[in-house]
Amino acid sequence: INAEYMGEFGCVVLGAKVLVVLGHSSCGAVAATAQGAAVPGVISSLYYHIRPVCDAAHGDVDLAIEENVRVQVKQLMVSPVLSDLVKEGKLAVVGAVYDLETGIVNFLE
């Protein structure tokens, strides 16, 4: 199941009014991708999707985490269902990063 399907279900069936794409600090997948490090299991399949944000961030993992959230917000907007709800003012799709140390959620612009 991908995020678009879950988002559509949450909004259309369950009536959610806000979708939050929530990244987190110290993300191991982003850090490993930025370093080109080998990791076990299926997490390495995420490299393909994360690599462009790591390249754009020039090795800054925190910036790559934020950019990955922004990319995922844009990806959700590919859904005609979700984009129509946003256009109609019935849904907000926002991105944020949760700081694991402080517990603070920083919403992105």
Side-chain angles (χ1 to χ4, degrees):
I1 297 177
N2 71 24
E4 285 177 54
Y5 298 140
M6 291 185 299
E8 289 176 359
F9 180 82
C11 295
V12 176
V13 177
L14 302 177
K17 304 296 182 210
V18 179
L19 287 181
V20 179
V21 175
L22 187 62
H24 63 86
S25 62
S26 304
C27 179
V30 172
T33 303
Q35 297 167 0
V39 294
V42 294
I43 196 163
S44 63
S45 67
L46 297 175
Y47 280 14
Y48 173 80
H49 302 286
I50 299 171
R51 170 63 50 210
V53 298
C54 289
D55 291 344
H58 304 290
D60 183 331
V61 174
D62 292 332
L63 182 59
I65 291 167
E66 290 181 7
E67 189 58 27
N68 189 48
V69 169
R70 288 184 183 97
V71 167
Q72 298 312 313
V73 167
K74 288 178 187 174
Q75 183 60 39
L76 283 173
M77 297 308 298
V78 169
S79 160
V81 172
L82 299 178
S83 62
D84 285 349
L85 288 170
V86 169
K87 288 175 193 169
E88 294 167 8
K90 297 178 180 177
L91 174 67
V93 181
V94 297
V97 176
Y98 175 70
D99 188 309
L100 294 174
E101 257 186 57
T102 66
I104 295 173
V105 175
N106 296 300
F107 286 86
L108 306 176
E109 294 182 23

